[in-house]
Amino acid sequence: MPPEETAGRPARIQVNRNQTRGVAMSTTRLSPLDASFLAVESSTAHMHVGWATTFRPPDEGPRPEFEDLFRHIEGRLCRGRRFRQRLASVPLGLNAPLWIDDEDFDPARHIVRASSATLGEAIDDCMSRQLDRRRPLWQLCIADRLDDGRIGVVGKVHHCMVDGIAAVELAALLLDPTPEPEPAAPDRWSPEPKPSGLSRMVGGVVDQLRGDLGILGLPARVARSPLTAAQIAATAARSAAGMLRPAPLVPALNAPISPLRHLATARRPLQDLRLVKASFGTTINDVVLAASAGGVRRLLERHAERPVPLKTMVPVNVRGAGENGDAGNRISFMFVDLPCDEADPARRLRSIHAETAGRKDHEDAHWVEAIFDAIGYLPQPVRNAFSGVIASPLVFNLTVSNIPGPSEPMYMLGCELEEAYPVVPIADRHALSIGVTTIRDDAFFGIYADREALPDADLVADAIDQSLDELVALSR
């Protein structure tokens, strides 16, 4: 959805979204959605979200070196507790893992030199490596002198820790709105002891029982809703059917994948997207989806595959105004058919707008969120199996995500942020995802692909650019 919109949520029937009770004050249990991103990760499907940013060194004053940037970032870690927490499993897999303090935390494991002075090579190398679950699940790779003279920072954070919006918030912890950085705050952090295996097991059982008891109150909550039980059941059933509706078989996009990744990029003036939005009476997100449909259509044609409508997962932000990145994933999903079979760019855009508007009117994202919430009542092995089904190519072909970034200038140690390309993770048998981040007056497209299954991701980036050219020309 466009940056200014979130999913409407009237008459919500709240179920167990986030089990935050733990065995100590510093522990938090992963929500069912957070845990699902762990369940679907494999040696070839790395479930980290990420970003690739470039900074222009200051025109006056010293240029920061790696050691300067390291100390700057290290001094900001106290702003987010997840930076220094790791996962602790529950014995026998009786419930989702907990976040606990890492007693052996070492920032040097997480703030490292980039492998190359070429931004593209640094991105591909960083994103092709899986995060170590024994440590806090994030890493920053810094190139303090790219081959074009700028500074590059590539970041990744496991999806069980943050969604795309929260990843932007975490990145912003390192930035300042002025060239002069804010002074570092006193850091009095010390890790709390790791809870014992017995306490983790008992806590997991208690949380599960508490959730099981909570579901007994669901009929009363339904009765208090302005909606009738029949309306609730019908709407939920329609959303579930839409989510589980089979996706078409598309060999180019849904072949087995390798661990190797590539990020192709495209940059457009945000005014281009706004022009198309205003001309056609749509949303920014509709324009992004239409451009993506045009780009993937050209890819399918190149692979000699007949373009067909593709079932596309579109993340929707449901984070409340007071929630921050520590809340974990606060997203739901819409499932939209990208009309890649349509040759006319204007008809593609109008078709997408009609579908997304209808899904928003019917509160699809709200009910998909409720379905994921309800999974929390099931035993953990059943939750994991359900997650595997939802992440499979049987349910969707690709992901397209629109992630708003800062609209004002931002700096890191006096270096101005110039570019920020998003990385949207791909599950097994999904060779492509498309992310868009808006920074000030530009939209940055990150086309993330498996290098072996889809070696021509740069073609998609060029084709998205061409699709936007077509829509801009029609708008003018």
Side-chain angles (χ1 to χ4, degrees):
M1 302 183 75
E4 66 274 13
E5 295 181 12
T6 56
R9 297 148 69 188
R12 176 166 180 155
I13 304 302
Q14 179 67 47
V15 290
N16 180 33
R17 192 201 72 80
N18 195 2
Q19 299 177 40
T20 58
R21 302 173 184 86
V23 294
M25 290 300 290
S26 64
T27 62
T28 303
R29 190 174 310 284
L30 268 66
S31 73
L33 180 57
D34 294 343
S36 72
F37 293 116
L38 281 180
V40 302
E41 185 170 47
S42 71
S43 60
T44 54
H46 309 152
M47 285 291 107
H48 47 247
V49 298
W51 62 91
T53 53
T54 60
F55 296 83
R56 180 173 55 84
D59 296 327
E60 299 179 359
R63 176 195 182 100
E65 304 292 336
F66 175 82
E67 292 75 14
D68 303 313
L69 296 168
F70 182 98
R71 288 193 297 270
H72 171 72
I73 296 168
E74 182 184 22
R76 300 290 178 95
L77 296 181
C78 59
R79 298 185 177 187
R81 61 177 180 170
R82 288 285 180 267
F83 281 123
R84 295 184 286 206
Q85 290 191 313
R86 64 176 182 86
L87 291 175
S89 62
V90 174
L92 306 179
L94 295 176
N95 211 323
L98 298 166
W99 289 112
I100 67 170
D101 291 344
D102 183 5
E103 295 176 290
D104 299 317
F105 178 75
D106 181 357
R109 294 193 184 107
H110 304 273
I111 309 166
V112 301
R113 290 185 183 273
S115 61
S116 173
T118 301
L119 181 63
E121 293 178 358
I123 296 170
D124 294 357
D125 178 72
C126 177
M127 295 303 164
S128 298
R129 300 175 185 271
Q130 191 171 0
L131 287 162
D132 184 352
R133 291 196 186 182
R134 297 170 300 176
R135 306 297 179 195
L137 293 174
W138 64 277
Q139 187 178 64
L140 294 175
C141 301
I142 299 173
D144 57 359
R145 191 176 294 272
L146 292 170
D147 49 15
D148 61 8
R150 296 181 298 170
I151 294 171
V153 179
V154 181
K156 58 182 177 182
V157 188
H158 200 285
H159 210 338
C160 75
M161 179 173 163
V162 296
D163 52 39
I165 300 293
V168 172
E169 291 179 359
L170 286 175
L173 290 177
L174 315 178
L175 307 177
D176 294 283
T178 64
E180 291 296 324
E182 295 180 3
D187 188 1
R188 300 182 178 88
W189 179 82
S190 62
E192 294 194 15
K194 176 183 176 181
S196 68
L198 178 61
S199 66
R200 299 200 308 275
M201 183 170 67
V202 171
V205 172
V206 169
D207 280 350
Q208 185 66 52
L209 291 174
R210 187 180 287 116
D212 293 342
L213 292 173
I215 200 171
L216 298 178
L218 186 58
R221 294 197 293 275
V222 170
R224 291 196 299 269
S225 171
L227 299 176
T228 66
Q231 286 175 310
I232 292 171
T235 307
R238 183 180 61 247
S239 297
M243 180 171 65
L244 298 175
R245 173 175 54 86
L249 177 63
V250 182
L253 298 178
N254 302 124
I257 61 174
S258 77
L260 303 178
R261 298 290 179 266
H262 173 62
L263 185 70
T265 61
R267 178 177 181 173
R268 296 289 301 211
L270 186 54
Q271 183 55 36
D272 285 353
L273 279 66
R274 289 172 174 159
L275 173 66
V276 177
K277 167 192 169 182
S279 177
F280 285 87
T282 66
T283 67
I284 291 287
N285 201 53
D286 293 335
V287 179
V288 168
L289 290 169
S292 300
V296 177
R297 173 184 171 84
R298 287 179 172 86
L299 173 73
L300 296 177
E301 290 174 338
R302 175 165 177 166
H303 283 249
E305 293 190 28
R306 182 173 64 89
V308 296
L310 298 179
K311 189 179 177 187
T312 304
M313 177 183 283
V314 182
V316 177
N317 178 29
V318 294
R319 179 175 278 100
E323 295 182 83
N324 58 27
D326 280 348
N329 283 274
R330 295 296 290 118
I331 55 173
S332 185
F333 306 97
M334 291 193 303
F335 291 89
V336 177
D337 284 331
L338 278 195
C340 299
D341 56 327
E342 175 57 65
D344 182 83
R347 282 201 288 267
R348 280 199 299 264
L349 177 56
R350 293 191 178 103
S351 172
I352 287 169
H353 177 63
E355 184 174 0
T356 58
R359 296 202 181 282
K360 182 181 176 184
D361 289 343
H362 289 109
E363 299 295 331
D364 277 24
H366 162 69
W367 289 105
V368 169
E369 182 191 18
I371 291 167
F372 274 98
D373 289 347
I375 300 304
Y377 294 117
L378 301 175
Q380 191 63 39
V382 179
R383 298 183 216 172
N384 294 342
F386 179 83
S387 300
V389 171
I390 296 301
S392 76
L394 297 173
V395 174
F396 68 100
N397 299 112
L398 78 158
T399 304
V400 179
S401 183
N402 180 13
I403 306 160
S407 58
E408 301 297 329
M410 300 296 288
Y411 302 84
M412 183 176 66
L413 276 187
C415 305
E416 185 173 3
L417 175 64
E418 289 192 333
E419 299 173 304
Y421 296 99
V423 169
V424 178
I426 52 178
D428 269 324
R429 299 188 71 90
H430 290 84
L432 177 71
S433 68
I434 299 172
V436 183
T437 295
T438 52
I439 301 290
R440 295 183 65 186
D441 299 323
D442 291 289
F444 297 91
F445 288 75
I447 295 84
Y448 189 53
D450 178 72
R451 287 211 301 265
E452 291 189 354
L454 199 66
D456 44 2
D458 291 286
L459 165 72
V460 181
D462 292 339
I464 287 175
D465 210 28
Q466 295 170 21
S467 296
L468 284 169
D469 285 339
E470 294 170 344
L471 290 170
V472 169
L474 290 170
S475 300
R476 287 175 176 162

